[in-house]
Every structure is written in structure tokens, then in C-alpha cells.
Amino acid sequence: MTSAAPQTGLAVRGKSVSWLGKRLAASLLTLVLITMLVFAATRLLPGDMALMILGKDATAESLAALRAQLHLEDPLWRQYTAWIAGVATGDLGYSVISRVEVAALLTPRLQATLSLIVLSLAVSVPLALVLGFATARREGSVGDKLVLFGSVAINALPEFVLGMLLVILLSTNIWHLFPAVSSLSPGQPVLHQLDKLVLPGLCLVLLQVTYLYRLVRAAVIDVMTSEYFHFARLKGLPEGLILRRHVLPNAIVPAVIAIGTIFAYSVGGMVVVETVFSYPGIGSALTQAVGTRDLPVVQAAVLIIAVIFLISNLVTDALAHSITPPGKGGQK
Amino acid sequence: MTKDNRLNVTRRTMLLGTAAVLGSAALTGLSTGMARAQDGDVLRLAVTGSNADSLDPHRTQGQLTDIVRFTNLFDGLCEFNPDTSVANVLAESFTPNEDATVWTVKLVSGVKTHAGGDFGADDVIYSVKRILDPANPTKGGSLIGFIDAEKVEKVDDLTIRFTLATPYGPFREIWANRYLRMVTQDFDPAAPVGTGPFKFLSFAPGQESMFERFDDYFRGKAGVAKVQITNISDETASINALRGGQVDMAYKIPFAEARILEAEPGIKLLNNPSGMSLPLYMRTDIAPFNDVRVRQAFRLIADRDMMVRAALAGYGEVGNDMQGRSIAPCGPTEVEQRKQDIEAAKKLLEEAGQSGLSVELATVNGTSGMVECAQVFAEQAKAAGVTVKVNVLEEAAYLANYGEWAFGVDFLNDTYLPLVARSLVPGGSFNNTHWDDAEFNALFAEASASSDEAKRCEIISKMRMIEHERGGNIIWGFANILNAYSDRLQGLETYVVDSAFYHLRKVSFV
């Protein structure tokens, strides 16, 4: 196929497949590099896993025995390959601190994190779209300015301040509506404990909406000042049709990319929210494991977060790639 | 016009949506409120723990959640009273021979286990051997290392005889330690059977555990039907849980929050005059602290009142460079209180040739006050021309060099003789000062061998005077341990060594 040849449907698909292939290969390479980096970094941390397990009372003999048992004296490359071999067969190893399988420890954590993120996005995405459209169409009005000011103010608050404000307002001091602490009861599905998700969820929704809606608003305003929008109006097309046909497709792209970024970032990055509400997510599991030098858990948690990050980026890019209107550099 | 209409609809929908969200939220809130009122007989605690949690009273890392769990599931031969004196629990009597090398322990009869059996001598022997198991070193094992596991014999179903290699006087007292709880034979940590006031229902490490009242408890039924222990690592979160009515008792209350909590309606503060000291330890075996003049100079630098006020927010007591806030049943040791004297400190440093000394002080964000006291001391040292560089380390990094730091902060809480065994004589795993004082060691051996309480008190007094005179610790103060609880509860007492959290059978709803 030469560049001058007209693009057939097949060629476009072929291009997309090779694009996807390249992206997959790059992601895999990134993943391998991440595992190596994490492995090296955990080994560079000051402190000793054996000492953290046995505590201040440990004798030199018991420390040496435990180190040998944990293969801490083996060369780094051997420890790494042993771990990778396990990961390849789906075995993430044992948590040295809890003495349970890493997978058993992290699965409920991951479920908790994903439930919270998905639920919060389910609320904030439609809300951001509605708010973005509504304010863009009234750009410069008092209402628009108020919402904009409020969103910037909320976004400027550190997460823990926002979290604490919500706790004070809705849980401990003003109204006693929701549990202040979101530690989930084990053995019960997350969805049966929705009351505990309200405050951390609300905190995330506020942070997400205030950011997302501004993207939508900016994109809508951008479209509304474009020539094709004015042309469509002059043609006398109904407002709803213009919105659906012209504004939405253009305004949704930055929002989709942002949603993907928020999702990917939140998996490991909502540690602060998890801490404020004592919510048992994967981010706080990771920070705890770093503190106790539970290296198998650290490695597995970072790996999981990285995989989710890469997958979500890939999906977002593919999605954005396919919905970008031709006029903005997308395919026909 | 149409445009405006549409916009109105959108806005209206939005408002409606918001109202619906808030309304359903309020309903959920109401329903949890109602659930709260119904399960009034479940005592809910917020305690700090970790993923290392277990139900094993012996092979534990000693985090609070573990301790709270096993002290309520299992009994010891003895336990601490609110002061440091000791009461018998499973043991009825301890009888030594002439030189305190053979101890005969008689058990209380009629004690039932959670499985319905009778608790007896075989269970005690099993527990002691388990604690001393060389293949699984335990915290309790280092406390009763003087016992030879092979020389623990059953005399009859309720009588055990311990034959010791060397005399041990405070034999009865040692059994009050929380790490020496009694389990039943063939103990399985996954389905723990003990004799305690509560029995096991469920347990998820690092999250939550549930116990229920043991109706056949030999000292009378506990005051509540169930106990729920929730792990909450963040101090603020546990206070919020208490404020919001999600828990009834919260263990970890930072000093900075205490005054605010004290003023809050519905919440009470439990201000335990604990024996916990936060010593600044100086290594007596290397320069510059191998010179006693430098150590005394550093002790004179400390403005102890200021340190208690700044590092402990006033929730504590000034120390006098001697361990043991209370050494009950012994009386106080009569030594003049050491006070700040910068001039004297400067003079001592000059005599030692260490004027303008510069040292690093290692500390860790462990228990409240450990970082603050180091910072306050560093500030005070400037007046004496001493530069103290405070090195705040992460726990793992601090522990990696534990016992090696020349100058550091630690925390210790125990009764006097066990504390000396662990931290003030050679071989003690907490002997950070590397102190090895012949006279002190001899006195300690003598006190350990004596089963005569009055004589023991006299020796302890001498030991503390030596600490004050030439020891390696700046014991500037003792920190209170603060807990908070809902005013719907009664029966909570303050403890010096133990905690109301270890005696939940005494707690009930008003």
C-alpha cells in the first residue's frame, strides 16, 4: 500500500491492528521494566524483612535462619527470576507478614478499590457531562461563574482536607448521616455495605466532577465558536440535533481521555482518600506493605496497579482513536 | 423559547436528581442509625493492627489488635491490677521451696474451657512448653527463659511443679505478663479454645474480629453479649468512628487531640498513668557517652517539665532518670529530682573535653511523643553549646540499626524487674545503652533470687539510685496512654501496665 493509494476499510483496519500491536508490545516492555525497577527499589530500601517479621527481640541466629528461608541471601537476579516465574504461572507468592497468599490478601482490596472507582465514575461522568453542557451554553453567566469558582475551589483543596470536611459535615459534627470510617466487614460483598461507600465515594465524585466538567465545558465552548456549528445553526437545524451530531462527538473525546486517566490513576493513587476513611483499598495495602517490608505484597500490588494502568491507557487510547471525528485528526 | 425550555428541563432534572441522591442518602443514614440502636449489646472497638494479625497469644508480633484479642480470649495464671500489683487468675496459689528454685502452682478448680472441658495442669504444661518452643521463639519465651521446659511436672490434675536451674523470686508476678496466656492442649490458632471471658466467633486478619460472651466463665459473665474489634490504623479515623457512633471505644488517641475530646459531649477520655517511658538512650560503651560526665551533662540539659508539656501535651509525668513510674508494691525511691542546669552541664562537658559537642539523635514515628521529645531536647541543647541533629527515621530503617545507634529514642513499658532484664543488663534485647555495671548487675541477680518482697523492694531502690547516678538513659518523663470511649459505657478503669481494653469483661452499657 502506498501512501497515495485511497484508504479502503480493510487498510484502515490493518492500520488499526498494527497500531494496537505496537501499543501492546510497548506496554509489555514497560511492564517488564516496571517489575525490574520495583524489584530493585524494594531491595534498596533500608531495613530488613527478617527483622521486621521477628521484631526487636530477634536473635542473630533466628534472623539468619529466616533470611535463608526467604531466600534473601540469594543473588538478586535469582530472586527476580524466581518471582517472575511464579507470576507467569499466576502465583504471586506468600505475604511474609500475614503468612497468607498474596492473591488472597490483595483480591478483596482490589475489589474494594475498583467498586469505589466505578461507582464514583458512574455518578460523576453523567453529572460532569450535564454540568459541562449546561454551563458552556450559558458561558459567562452568574451561574457559570459560580460553578466554575466552586469547582476550582474544591479541586484546590488537598484530598484529606476535603475528606475531613465531609466527615465533619456529614458524619461526626453537624449531621450524623453516614459512617465516618469505611472499613468494610469481611465476608460481605462490597455492594451490601453501600452506606460505607458514601463518604469516600462522595469525596471522589466531587474531585472527579469538578475536573471533568471543566474539560467538557471547554470542549463545548470550543465547538460552539466553530464555523461548522454556526453553519449548522444558520441551516436551521434543531438545537438537539446540533448537540447530538456536532457538539457531543467533539466534546466527548477529551472527557473520555480524562476518564481513562482518572480511572488508571485512582487504582493506586487514592491512598489519601483510603486513609482518611480507613477504606481497605489496594493503595493503602501497598503503603502498609512498604512500611512493614512485606516485599512479595509490594511487588504484587505494584504489578497489579501497573497492569491496570497500562490496560486502561490502552483502552482509552483505542476508544479515543475510534471516536475522534475526522476533522480533528481521526479516521474516516 | 424552546432553547430556554430545554435548559429548564435540564436544570430541573438535575435538581430532582440531586434531591433524589440526597434523599436516598439520608434514608441510608437513617437505616444505619437504627441498626446502631438495635445492636446496643455489641461492644465495638477501634484498635490499631496490621495484616500480621493472628489469634495466637504466643506467636504474635505484639500489635495491639492481637493483644486485645488474646487477652480477652485467654486467661493467664495471674493478671495485673490497675496499679502494678498482681492478682491470681487461673492460679490459686504459688508455693516456693526454701531457696525459690522449686515452685508449686495450684490451679483454681472448676474452670471450664470454651470447648466445655475442664482446664487443668496438662493445659498449663502444654502452654508453657509452647511458649518455650525453641523452634518458634515467642515474646513470652524471653520472659520465662529461666524455666526448663523439661522440668515442668504434673503433680495432679490441678497442681504443677516448676523446677528452676537458678532461684527466681518474682515467679508469681511474671505470670501477669500478657504474653504468658494459657491455651488448651492441641491448640489451633484457627479455632482458638481458651478459658477467657469471650469466645471466638470470626476473624479476618487486618480487618475485623467478632467474639461472643462465654456464659460459663469462671469469674462471672462479661457485661456485653458480643465484642467486635475493627482494625483502624489511622488515629484520626478512629476518633471519627467514635464521634460518629460507629465504635464505642477507640484505643489510639494522640496527645494533640485529647483536650478537644475531653471537652466533647458524649465522649470520655481514659487517661492511663502508664509506666511507659520514652528514654533518650546513650551508648555507654562508645565515645562520647562512655564518659559519665557527658551523660550527666546531657541529663542536666533536659528541661523535663517543658518536655512533658511539649512532647506529651501535659499527659504524663516528669521522670528522674530511673525506670519505673510506679514500682508498687514497693514505695517510692528517695532521690532528689534532677532539674535543668545548663551551667553545670557546660562545666561537665568542658571537664570531659567535649565542649561544643555535636551528635545525632535517632528517633522514629513510633508511639506519640518520640519525635517531639527529640526535637524539644535538641532545642534545649543549643543553650549548652551542644548541637543535636534529630534524625527521624522510618520504622524499618530505625529497626535495621536497632541497638547500634549511639544516641536514640525508644519506648518501654513494663514492671521494674522484667524491664531491667530486657533493657538494663547485658544480654537484654533492649539494652540500647550497652550498659554493663557490675554493681547494678549483682543487685539485679540478688533481687531476682529473692522471694521476700520487702527485701526485694530494698534492692530495687538501690538499683534505681545507681540508674540515677550513672545510668545511660535520660528518663525525662513517663507518657500517659490515652483511650477514648462513649459515655454509654461503664466499668472502664485506668491501668499502669495493662489496659481497660484487656479487661473487656468488666465493661458494660449504662
Side-chain angles (χ1 to χ4, degrees):
Chain A
M1 185 181 83
T2 64
S3 57
Q7 290 194 345
T8 63
L10 196 67
V12 170
R13 209 175 307 136
K15 225 178 163 187
S16 291
V17 169
S18 79
W19 172 86
L20 198 67
K22 271 187 209 150
R23 283 297 310 260
L24 272 175
S27 298
L28 210 61
L29 186 68
T30 315
L31 205 56
V32 171
L33 286 176
I34 287 173
T35 61
M36 286 177 169
L37 210 62
V38 170
F39 205 85
T42 53
R43 271 21 184 213
L44 283 177
L45 284 173
D48 172 8
M49 186 148 71
L51 189 64
M52 291 303 286
I53 296 168
L54 295 177
K56 294 180 190 174
D57 284 319
T59 60
E61 297 84 55
S62 60
L63 281 175
L66 187 62
R67 277 194 199 113
Q69 197 190 324
L70 297 171
H71 301 288
L72 290 177
E73 309 290 356
D74 290 1
L76 205 56
W77 65 266
R78 189 175 293 162
Q79 294 182 42
Y80 177 75
T81 45
W83 177 62
I84 281 290
V87 171
T89 58
D91 175 15
L92 292 173
Y94 268 81
S95 153
V96 293
I97 297 289
S98 324
R99 297 177 209 112
V100 295
E101 279 185 41
V102 173
L105 190 79
L106 290 182
T107 308
R109 298 289 201 139
L110 185 62
Q111 280 169 353
T113 295
L114 291 179
S115 315
L116 190 57
I117 298 174
V118 169
L119 281 176
S120 63
L121 282 174
V123 176
S124 53
V125 169
L127 205 61
L129 282 176
V130 170
L131 209 57
F133 270 87
T135 51
R137 296 183 64 190
R138 303 212 130 190
E139 194 200 346
S141 69
V142 179
D144 174 43
K145 281 180 180 157
L146 274 180
V147 176
L148 192 62
F149 176 79
S151 86
V152 172
I154 289 175
N155 248 221
L157 286 179
E159 287 167 31
F160 70 92
V161 175
L162 183 62
M164 292 309 295
L165 281 177
L166 289 176
V167 168
I168 290 170
L169 193 68
L170 297 174
S171 180
T172 59
N173 292 48
I174 317 286
W175 293 295
H176 298 276
L177 293 175
F178 307 108
V181 168
S182 308
S183 46
L184 300 171
S185 295
Q188 271 190 59
V190 179
L191 295 180
H192 288 185
Q193 310 179 53
L194 281 181
D195 60 326
K196 292 180 180 166
L197 296 189
V198 176
L199 286 189
L202 190 59
C203 188
L204 288 181
V205 165
L206 281 173
L207 292 168
Q208 291 162 355
V209 167
T210 47
Y211 170 64
L212 271 180
Y213 117 85
R214 272 181 289 153
L215 288 180
V216 176
R217 178 180 172 274
V220 172
I221 290 173
D222 186 41
V223 175
M224 280 166 60
T225 53
S226 70
E227 283 174 12
Y228 62 84
F229 178 81
H230 288 298
F231 186 69
R233 262 197 165 167
L234 290 172
K235 264 202 313 197
L237 286 181
E239 195 78 19
L241 191 67
I242 302 181
L243 281 181
R244 269 201 309 280
R245 185 81 50 83
H246 298 288
V247 182
L248 196 63
N250 283 291
I252 199 97
V253 178
V256 166
I257 294 171
I259 292 164
T261 313
I262 288 176
F263 178 84
Y265 165 79
S266 299
V267 176
M270 56 174 210
V271 183
V272 177
V273 174
E274 285 174 27
T275 307
V276 169
F277 298 102
S278 205
Y279 189 77
I282 198 166
S284 48
L286 173 59
T287 41
Q288 273 170 27
V290 172
T292 56
R293 298 290 186 270
D294 195 343
L295 302 188
V297 175
V298 174
Q299 286 153 209
V302 173
L303 183 70
I304 292 170
I305 292 169
V307 167
I308 294 179
F309 203 100
L310 291 172
I311 291 178
S312 121
N313 269 358
L314 211 58
V315 171
T316 311
D317 284 356
L319 210 61
H321 190 70
S322 65
I323 61 173
T324 302
K328 298 251 167 163
Q331 53 188 269
K332 277 177 195 144
Chain B
M1 278 318 274
T2 41
K3 176 179 149 195
D4 275 347
N5 273 342
R6 208 168 289 118
L7 195 64
N8 276 339
V9 170
T10 321
R11 214 188 302 137
R12 211 176 296 138
T13 327
M14 255 180 60
L15 283 174
L16 273 177
T18 319
V21 168
L22 285 179
S24 62
L27 278 178
T28 333
L30 276 180
S31 66
T32 46
M34 284 189 295
R36 213 175 279 153
Q38 277 164 3
D39 44 47
D41 217 17
V42 180
L43 181 63
R44 299 153 310 162
L45 321 177
V47 190
T48 324
S50 74
N51 283 331
D53 283 2
S54 83
L55 286 166
D56 193 321
H58 307 141
R59 294 164 198 169
T60 168
Q61 294 201 2
Q63 61 269 49
L64 272 166
T65 36
D66 272 15
I67 298 172
V68 172
R69 269 190 294 266
F70 68 65
T71 47
N72 287 292
L73 288 175
F74 309 99
D75 288 311
L77 293 177
C78 300
E79 71 181 12
F80 283 110
N81 289 320
D83 63 5
T84 56
S85 64
V86 166
N88 289 348
V89 182
L90 290 169
E92 194 177 81
S93 65
F94 290 82
T95 317
N97 67 347
E98 195 67 18
D99 63 351
T101 50
V102 178
W103 286 82
T104 307
V105 179
K106 189 119 188 71
L107 300 176
V108 174
S109 67
V111 176
K112 292 284 175 201
T113 70
H114 298 160
D118 290 307
F119 181 82
D122 290 322
D123 299 308
V124 173
I125 295 169
Y126 175 85
S127 301
V128 172
K129 288 190 168 159
R130 193 168 188 272
I131 294 168
L132 288 170
D133 179 6
N136 289 290
T138 64
K139 289 187 184 291
S142 57
L143 294 166
I144 54 166
F146 55 84
I147 293 176
D148 182 348
E150 297 310 312
K151 290 185 179 158
V152 186
E153 301 153 283
K154 178 179 175 178
V155 177
D156 61 46
D157 279 349
L158 292 174
T159 315
I160 309 109
R161 187 166 52 227
F162 295 83
T163 306
L164 315 180
T166 51
Y168 194 75
F171 183 84
R172 183 179 90 96
E173 287 73 13
I174 199 77
W175 294 102
N177 190 286
R178 53 181 174 266
Y179 295 117
L180 300 174
R181 296 283 158 150
M182 295 294 142
V183 297
T184 53
Q185 286 185 79
D186 305 317
F187 179 70
D188 175 11
V193 175
T195 61
F198 292 94
K199 54 184 186 180
F200 167 77
L201 274 185
S202 69
F203 168 60
Q207 295 181 54
E208 193 181 279
S209 38
M210 202 68 175
F211 300 158
E212 70 176 339
R213 174 161 59 202
F214 176 39
D215 285 331
D216 294 327
Y217 187 55
F218 77 108
R219 291 196 283 180
K221 278 190 211 175
V224 293
K226 282 182 179 173
V227 170
Q228 182 187 46
I229 302 165
T230 307
N231 280 41
I232 300 181
S233 342
D234 188 60
E235 294 164 348
T236 319
S238 65
I239 296 174
N240 285 338
L242 182 66
R243 280 191 178 124
Q246 260 179 292
V247 298
D248 309 300
M249 293 166 71
Y251 190 91
K252 207 175 181 186
I253 306 298
F255 296 119
E257 294 267 357
R259 297 256 179 255
I260 306 165
L261 273 181
E262 262 183 316
E264 253 175 68
I267 293 177
K268 285 186 178 172
L269 194 72
L270 199 61
N271 191 354
N272 299 278
S274 96
M276 184 165 73
S277 62
L278 305 177
L280 305 188
Y281 55 83
M282 304 171 277
R283 266 184 76 171
T284 57
D285 60 334
I286 52 168
F289 297 117
N290 55 358
D291 187 333
V292 69
R293 289 172 296 190
V294 178
R295 303 204 294 270
Q296 295 304 69
F298 270 52
R299 286 165 151 193
L300 287 166
I301 284 172
D303 177 347
R304 293 146 201 261
D305 285 313
M306 181 63 167
M307 289 174 84
V308 169
R309 258 183 290 136
L312 309 176
Y315 290 98
E317 194 179 274
V318 164
N320 197 14
D321 300 326
M322 309 182 287
Q323 281 291 9
R325 181 175 187 169
S326 154
I327 46 168
C330 308
T333 309
E334 298 300 333
V335 189
E336 203 190 332
Q337 173 65 48
R338 185 168 280 134
K339 290 199 164 75
Q340 186 183 48
D341 189 340
I342 297 293
E343 286 317 307
K346 276 183 171 167
K347 196 158 166 280
L348 279 168
L349 286 171
E350 200 183 316
E351 281 169 21
Q354 295 285 3
S355 294
L357 180 64
S358 180
V359 285
E360 195 177 281
L361 174 56
T363 189
V364 59
N365 218 330
T367 190
S368 298
M370 282 179 84
V371 172
E372 294 84 348
C373 74
Q375 286 162 340
V376 176
F377 183 82
E379 224 18 74
Q380 293 170 353
K382 285 180 188 163
V386 175
T387 309
V388 175
K389 188 177 163 286
V390 178
N391 185 7
V392 183
L393 294 139
E394 189 215 5
E395 195 188 357
Y398 176 82
L399 284 184
N401 260 333
Y402 190 73
E404 304 295 319
W405 305 108
F407 188 30
V409 187
D410 203 355
F411 69 99
L412 285 166
N413 187 11
D414 209 331
T415 47
Y416 192 72
L417 288 179
L419 197 141
V420 170
R422 291 163 84 190
S423 73
L424 293 175
V425 288
S429 45
F430 299 93
N431 187 7
N432 289 320
T433 58
H434 295 240
W435 202 36
D436 186 2
D437 187 287
E439 195 189 345
F440 187 85
N441 297 347
L443 284 170
F444 174 59
E446 204 184 329
S448 302
S450 167
S451 56
D452 173 357
E453 197 170 276
K455 191 179 164 211
R456 215 158 55 214
C457 285
E458 202 180 298
I459 305 169
I460 287 178
S461 176
K462 282 187 201 160
M463 291 167 72
R464 296 182 83 216
M465 285 185 195
I466 295 177
E467 269 192 82
H468 177 85
E469 189 192 297
R470 54 179 188 263
N473 286 317
I474 306 174
I475 296 172
W476 54 271
F478 295 93
N480 294 359
I481 290 179
L482 307 180
N483 320 127
Y485 62 102
S486 151
D487 67 356
R488 300 193 299 134
L489 296 181
Q490 60 187 11
L492 287 92
E493 283 178 279
T494 58
Y495 281 83
V496 174
V497 181
D498 270 5
S499 158
F501 284 68
Y502 310 168
H503 299 268
L504 295 177
R505 69 187 180 93
K506 298 179 181 171
V507 179
S508 62
F509 287 93
V510 177

